[in-house]
PDB file of all heavy atoms in Angstrom:
ATOM      1  N   LEU A 335       8.710   8.494 -48.863  1.00 98.00           N
ATOM      2  CA  LEU A 335       9.154   9.845 -49.359  1.00 98.00           C
ATOM      3  C   LEU A 335       9.124  10.847 -48.214  1.00 98.00           C
ATOM      4  O   LEU A 335      10.009  11.718 -47.955  1.00 98.00           O
ATOM      5  CB  LEU A 335       8.302  10.285 -50.542  1.00 98.00           C
ATOM      6  CG  LEU A 335       8.259   9.381 -51.704  1.00 98.00           C
ATOM      7  CD1 LEU A 335       7.263  10.019 -52.772  1.00 98.00           C
ATOM      8  CD2 LEU A 335       9.632   9.180 -52.339  1.00 98.00           C
ATOM      9  N   HIS A 336       7.987  10.824 -47.473  1.00 98.00           N
ATOM     10  CA  HIS A 336       7.807  11.716 -46.319  1.00 98.00           C
ATOM     11  C   HIS A 336       8.938  11.599 -45.338  1.00 98.00           C
ATOM     12  O   HIS A 336       9.530  12.560 -44.879  1.00 98.00           O
ATOM     13  CB  HIS A 336       6.474  11.343 -45.607  1.00 98.00           C
ATOM     14  CG  HIS A 336       6.187  12.132 -44.302  1.00 98.00           C
ATOM     15  ND1 HIS A 336       5.505  13.261 -44.297  1.00 98.00           N
ATOM     16  CD2 HIS A 336       6.573  11.766 -43.102  1.00 98.00           C
ATOM     17  CE1 HIS A 336       5.490  13.679 -43.002  1.00 98.00           C
ATOM     18  NE2 HIS A 336       6.169  12.801 -42.286  1.00 98.00           N
ATOM     19  N   ASN A 337       9.293  10.349 -45.075  1.00 98.00           N
ATOM     20  CA  ASN A 337      10.383  10.094 -44.052  1.00 98.00           C
ATOM     21  C   ASN A 337      11.761  10.554 -44.596  1.00 98.00           C
ATOM     22  O   ASN A 337      12.622  10.977 -43.863  1.00 98.00           O
ATOM     23  CB  ASN A 337      10.439   8.629 -43.662  1.00 98.00           C
ATOM     24  CG  ASN A 337       9.354   8.304 -42.646  1.00 98.00           C
ATOM     25  OD1 ASN A 337       8.733   9.139 -42.133  1.00 98.00           O
ATOM     26  ND2 ASN A 337       9.105   7.017 -42.400  1.00 98.00           N
ATOM     27  N   THR A 338      11.987  10.405 -45.927  1.00 98.00           N
ATOM     28  CA  THR A 338      13.207  10.785 -46.523  1.00 98.00           C
ATOM     29  C   THR A 338      13.354  12.297 -46.496  1.00 98.00           C
ATOM     30  O   THR A 338      14.506  12.785 -46.130  1.00 98.00           O
ATOM     31  CB  THR A 338      13.384  10.326 -47.965  1.00 98.00           C
ATOM     32  OG1 THR A 338      13.118   8.817 -47.953  1.00 98.00           O
ATOM     33  CG2 THR A 338      14.736  10.553 -48.603  1.00 98.00           C
ATOM     34  N   LEU A 339      12.370  13.009 -46.695  1.00 98.00           N
ATOM     35  CA  LEU A 339      12.382  14.429 -46.528  1.00 98.00           C
ATOM     36  C   LEU A 339      12.635  14.881 -45.140  1.00 98.00           C
ATOM     37  O   LEU A 339      13.445  15.690 -44.833  1.00 98.00           O
ATOM     38  CB  LEU A 339      11.041  15.020 -47.060  1.00 98.00           C
ATOM     39  CG  LEU A 339      10.783  16.562 -46.869  1.00 98.00           C
ATOM     40  CD1 LEU A 339      11.886  17.378 -47.474  1.00 98.00           C
ATOM     41  CD2 LEU A 339       9.428  16.943 -47.323  1.00 98.00           C
ATOM     42  N   ALA A 340      11.923  14.176 -44.184  1.00 98.00           N
ATOM     43  CA  ALA A 340      12.101  14.485 -42.748  1.00 98.00           C
ATOM     44  C   ALA A 340      13.581  14.174 -42.317  1.00 98.00           C
ATOM     45  O   ALA A 340      14.149  14.953 -41.512  1.00 98.00           O
ATOM     46  CB  ALA A 340      11.106  13.665 -41.887  1.00 98.00           C
ATOM     47  N   ALA A 341      14.147  13.112 -42.877  1.00 98.00           N
ATOM     48  CA  ALA A 341      15.519  12.722 -42.537  1.00 98.00           C
ATOM     49  C   ALA A 341      16.451  13.822 -43.051  1.00 98.00           C
ATOM     50  O   ALA A 341      17.421  14.165 -42.373  1.00 98.00           O
ATOM     51  CB  ALA A 341      15.808  11.388 -43.128  1.00 98.00           C
ATOM     52  N   ALA A 342      16.276  14.341 -44.261  1.00 98.00           N
ATOM     53  CA  ALA A 342      17.046  15.335 -44.789  1.00 98.00           C
ATOM     54  C   ALA A 342      17.029  16.662 -43.946  1.00 98.00           C
ATOM     55  O   ALA A 342      18.031  17.310 -43.690  1.00 98.00           O
ATOM     56  CB  ALA A 342      16.719  15.655 -46.231  1.00 98.00           C
ATOM     57  N   ARG A 343      15.770  16.954 -43.442  1.00 98.00           N
ATOM     58  CA  ARG A 343      15.602  18.110 -42.526  1.00 98.00           C
ATOM     59  C   ARG A 343      16.414  17.903 -41.265  1.00 98.00           C
ATOM     60  O   ARG A 343      17.080  18.790 -40.841  1.00 98.00           O
ATOM     61  CB  ARG A 343      14.153  18.309 -42.222  1.00 98.00           C
ATOM     62  CG  ARG A 343      13.373  18.859 -43.332  1.00 98.00           C
ATOM     63  CD  ARG A 343      12.067  19.497 -42.781  1.00 98.00           C
ATOM     64  NE  ARG A 343      11.311  20.184 -43.831  1.00 98.00           N
ATOM     65  CZ  ARG A 343      10.176  19.834 -44.350  1.00 98.00           C
ATOM     66  NH1 ARG A 343       9.505  18.831 -43.794  1.00 98.00           N
ATOM     67  NH2 ARG A 343       9.583  20.515 -45.301  1.00 98.00           N
TER      68      ARG A 343
END
Side-chain angles (χ1 to χ4, degrees):
L335 301 179
H336 172 92
N337 282 350
T338 305
L339 172 60
R343 285 203 174 114

